[in-house]
Amino acid sequence: MHQDATGNASDIAVGWAIGVGAPFAFCTTLESEYKSDIYGERCCILGGVHGAVESLFRRYTRQGMSDEEAFKQSVECITGPLTKIISRDGMIGVYNQFNDADKKVFEEAYAATFRPAMDICYEIYEDVACGNEIKSVVAAVERFDKFPMGKIDQTHMWKVGKEVRANRVESEIPINPFTAGVYIAVMMATVQTLSDKGHPYSEICNESIIEAVDSLNPYMHARGVAFMVDNCSYTARLGSRKWAPRFDYILDQQAYVAVDNGTAMNSAEDVNAFKSHPVHKALAACAEMRPPVVRCPDCRCVSSERALFACLPVCPFACLPVCLFACFCVSHSLARSLAHSRRACSFVPQDISVGVDGDDTGIGAGAARVEYYS
């Protein structure tokens, strides 16, 4: 809320949040929201993760891995098991599940990555805060008639990924401690910058962690990086394209060089700060407020059971908030909506599946949390 002229703005905001199925709502201001939102999508939510996986894939192939294995150890590792662990147990949960040897690999990768990633995150935040980033978006859109956005999934790496997804066995996706250290360092750099700039932890968790693992990463897991990035706004798509190469470059030029030179642990204090960081408790508090998710067996839309059942007693269009939230069922006819609302009680507990290439299965908030039931 930016102002509260009537005195009941909080009630109205919370009512809308419940109506559209938001797992929880937190106080913010328009200024704080636009800064954290535009910043976050350029960091670990979109641009940062894209740059990280590109650099990791090249590193692993240089080390002798096959293209397929390198894709599994980089992209699949992040969008599969790491995403699920972070969604359920937080970033610290990833670290805690490693054995001692893997913890050392994680720590080295984290220590080497955190400071270079912070360098980019600070630059992004300050460009957003002063208006430069939005100016660049406006200028880019004005050039679209001459230079439209190109595709970002046509390189060899992402073609390999399509084959990997076609043969994927979820239970066999590896958890690579080096990949985990790099990815979580980028995520923590996103978090720390927001904290340094005065944002509350409820907003920090949402704009740097929850949106990544519970919303965007499942898109990349389903059909690749373009499906994740290009389902977003022009602002996000342009920002991801602009900053992903910066993350890629700085990881290759600084982080991995430090690892190879044996100097990564010169920044061991960053690892200790990660282990005791207050964001872990904040994220755990957010997770406790999160309701189960449900999936409609008819149209396969996804939402929280709160959105579905809150409107049942008063609204004849019971599936409308769910369908609006899922963003792909709005075109249903009135008759279909009415019939669907009559069958609302037939929702059954089941895993939230995520479609692969060529599949029309819905993907949305909650898709990563396959262990949650209605």
Side-chain angles (χ1 to χ4, degrees):
M1 296 179 300
H2 197 71
Q3 59 182 357
D4 186 1
T6 61
N8 64 343
S10 294
D11 293 340
I12 294 171
V14 171
W16 273 104
I18 292 173
V20 299
F24 48 82
F26 56 88
C27 288
T28 185
T29 64
L30 184 59
E31 179 181 357
S32 184
E33 160 60 20
Y34 91 75
K35 286 180 180 178
S36 61
D37 182 81
I38 297 172
Y39 158 83
E41 64 199 15
R42 282 150 176 76
C43 297
C44 70
I45 293 174
L46 293 173
V49 67
H50 184 187
V53 296
E54 294 260 2
S55 66
L56 285 166
F57 177 83
R58 289 196 313 276
R59 178 174 177 81
Y60 291 151
T61 55
R62 287 197 300 262
Q63 291 176 339
M65 286 187 193
S66 68
D67 292 343
E68 292 76 12
E69 187 62 24
F71 193 89
K72 292 176 185 177
Q73 297 286 346
S74 55
V75 181
E76 292 280 280
C77 172
I78 289 173
T79 62
L82 291 186
T83 286
K84 292 177 182 177
I85 295 170
I86 294 171
S87 177
R88 183 180 64 245
D89 301 320
M91 293 175 288
I92 198 66
V94 174
Y95 178 79
N96 288 338
Q97 58 88 44
F98 286 129
N99 60 36
D100 289 345
D102 286 345
K103 282 180 178 177
K104 289 182 179 179
V105 175
F106 174 98
E107 290 174 359
E108 188 175 35
Y110 182 96
T113 301
F114 179 73
R115 291 289 167 176
M118 278 282 287
D119 185 1
I120 303 299
C121 287
Y122 254 73
E123 182 180 353
I124 294 171
Y125 187 93
E126 289 167 0
D127 273 6
V128 170
C130 73
N132 284 350
E133 190 65 19
I134 288 301
K135 288 178 183 177
S136 74
V137 169
V138 172
V141 171
E142 290 175 348
R143 296 191 297 267
F144 273 0
D145 57 335
K146 293 183 178 179
F147 308 107
M149 276 191 284
K151 295 183 178 180
I152 55 174
D153 62 353
Q154 301 300 297
T155 60
H156 173 68
M157 170 185 173
W158 297 105
K159 290 178 180 178
V160 169
K162 189 172 184 179
E163 297 301 317
V164 170
R165 290 192 297 274
N167 298 300
R168 174 191 291 155
V169 179
E170 287 283 346
S171 61
E172 296 178 3
I173 299 175
I175 303 179
N176 186 307
F178 190 89
T179 296
V182 170
Y183 177 61
I184 290 177
V186 172
M187 184 170 277
M188 279 299 301
T190 308
V191 166
Q192 189 60 53
T193 301
L194 286 172
S195 178
D196 290 352
K197 298 297 184 178
H199 291 262
Y201 272 105
S202 53
E203 187 170 58
I204 291 170
C205 289
N206 184 68
E207 300 291 2
S208 57
I209 306 169
I210 295 170
E211 192 171 343
V213 299
D214 286 349
S215 184
L216 274 303
N217 281 358
Y219 280 76
M220 182 155 60
H221 195 60
R223 297 170 224 177
V225 68
F227 189 63
M228 175 182 73
V229 172
D230 289 335
N231 263 297
C232 298
S233 65
Y234 276 169
T235 305
R237 294 167 68 188
L238 288 165
S240 182
R241 283 164 166 81
K242 176 180 177 180
W243 292 101
R246 292 288 305 279
F247 280 100
D248 184 341
Y249 178 87
I250 206 164
L251 293 177
D252 222 11
Q253 296 290 329
Q254 294 187 25
Y256 305 155
V257 169
V259 171
D260 295 339
N261 289 343
T263 59
M265 293 310 291
N266 291 352
S267 301
E269 68 275 7
D270 292 329
V271 177
N272 295 328
F274 161 72
K275 294 176 185 177
S276 59
H277 202 282
V279 75
H280 304 312
K281 290 183 179 179
L283 188 60
C286 290
E288 288 176 3
M289 302 175 195
R290 186 171 58 197
V293 291
V294 295
R295 194 178 101 193
C296 169
D298 180 36
C299 70
R300 303 160 96 182
C301 60
V302 176
S303 185
S304 71
E305 64 180 3
R306 180 184 298 166
L308 173 67
F309 296 110
C311 68
L312 272 176
V314 294
C315 176
F317 307 102
C319 82
L320 186 58
V322 184
C323 295
L324 285 172
F325 183 72
C327 298
F328 63 89
C329 298
V330 210
S331 60
H332 284 191
S333 67
L334 178 62
R336 181 176 173 83
S337 295
L338 282 168
H340 185 65
S341 69
R342 300 291 183 264
R343 294 197 301 276
C345 61
S346 69
F347 273 67
V348 292
Q350 58 181 299
D351 289 347
I352 304 302
S353 63
V354 178
V356 295
D357 300 86
D359 190 358
D360 64 354
T361 302
I363 300 173
R369 303 194 301 274
V370 297
E371 75 279 16
Y372 280 77
Y373 293 88
S374 63

